[in-house]
Amino acid sequence: MRTYTTRSAPLASRPGRSVRSRHVSVTTPFPASSGGRNSLVVVHSIRENPQNTGQPIVVPEPGFDCIAAVQAQLQSLATPNDPWPNHGTQMAYNFAYDVGGLDPSMYFAYPTDLYHLDHFMGKFANKLPDVLGNKSFDIDAATLTEPEDPEDFEATWTVEADVEGRTGTTTSRVRFSMRRKRVGTYKGCLMTYMIETL
C-alpha cells in the first residue's frame, strides 16, 4: 500500500465565505508495483457565515434625524444582497436599538431573543416580508411624532411608511419607533427600537 499526503491550496475567498484547508492523508489499495491507478484527494471545507463581512455601507450617525435613519434602512433593504449577501438585513441589525444582548428585544413588537445576527435575519424575513427586498417605499412625513423631552431615557420618535413588496402585489404600512442610543458604539444615534406592520 502507498500513502500520499497533500496540502490543499486555499480557495479564493469572498465576503460571507470562510475557507479552511487541511492536510489529507490517503492510503490507496493499489501497491506501487501493481501498475494500478493512484488516487489523490484534496478536501476543501467551505463554511458560509453571514457575519464574515465588513461593516455595512451606511451605519447609524448622530446627524441622522428620524426620517433619514428610516430612509437609509429602507433603501438598503430594497436591495438586500447588494453589495454582498444579506447586506440589507445586516444594516437593519446595526440600526436596531436593543439587539446583540441577552435581554429580549422589542424590535418586532414583542419580546424575542435577538442576540445573534442569524436569529435576526430569520425573523426579519418571516415577520417583514414586504420590507425585505421592497420594490418601493414612501415615508409619510405627516406621521412623524417627536417626544416632548428628547433627553428622556425612553424618548421615542415614530414615523410610518408605505412599503410595496418585492413582487408589487402587496403593500404594507409599517411604523418605525426610534430611540436615541445612550451608550456604546452608536451613542447619540437614533436607532430602531421597534418596527411593526399596521
Side-chain angles (χ1 to χ4, degrees):
M1 294 225 185
R2 220 175 194 181
T3 302
Y4 297 90
T5 303
T6 183
R7 186 173 185 186
S8 58
L11 295 174
S13 186
R14 65 178 170 86
R17 180 171 278 198
S18 61
V19 179
R20 292 185 181 179
S21 298
R22 59 182 167 198
H23 294 285
V24 178
S25 292
V26 178
T27 302
T28 66
F30 310 107
S33 61
S34 72
R37 293 179 16 194
N38 295 317
S39 62
L40 186 64
V41 177
V42 177
V43 176
H44 296 282
S45 174
I46 300 173
R47 297 182 182 185
E48 295 290 337
N49 183 350
Q51 298 142 356
N52 194 15
T53 61
Q55 284 283 69
I57 303 301
V58 178
V59 294
E61 296 286 339
F64 285 166
D65 63 11
C66 183
I67 291 176
V70 169
Q71 181 177 4
Q73 292 175 76
L74 288 173
Q75 282 177 337
S76 182
L77 288 162
T79 54
N81 294 313
D82 183 33
W84 59 72
N86 301 310
H87 173 266
T89 314
Q90 183 185 5
M91 184 175 160
Y93 186 79
N94 276 27
F95 268 89
Y97 180 80
D98 61 353
V99 299
L102 295 178
D103 292 330
S105 169
M106 288 299 295
Y107 188 88
F108 295 109
Y110 61 90
T112 185
D113 293 326
L114 296 176
Y115 59 87
H116 199 273
L117 175 60
D118 290 337
H119 295 185
F120 183 84
M121 287 170 36
K123 287 188 179 178
F124 200 99
N126 288 323
K127 300 295 181 188
L128 301 166
D130 285 345
V131 177
L132 186 61
N134 68 77
K135 192 171 181 182
S136 66
F137 63 89
D138 180 35
I139 298 172
D140 187 354
T143 63
L144 177 65
T145 62
E146 297 187 357
E148 290 181 24
D149 180 9
E151 298 305 317
D152 182 22
F153 185 73
E154 293 186 355
T156 305
W157 290 253
T158 61
V159 69
E160 296 174 11
D162 293 311
V163 181
E164 185 179 4
R166 76 183 88 198
T167 62
T169 59
T170 57
T171 303
S172 295
R173 180 110 171 155
V174 293
R175 177 186 298 132
F176 285 81
S177 298
M178 313 289 284
R179 289 189 177 172
R180 195 168 302 282
K181 196 78 166 172
R182 302 294 178 190
V183 296
T185 304
Y186 299 120
K187 181 178 180 180
C189 301
L190 279 176
M191 312 282 281
T192 304
Y193 174 69
M194 186 185 309
I195 181 171
E196 54 191 323
T197 304
L198 304 177

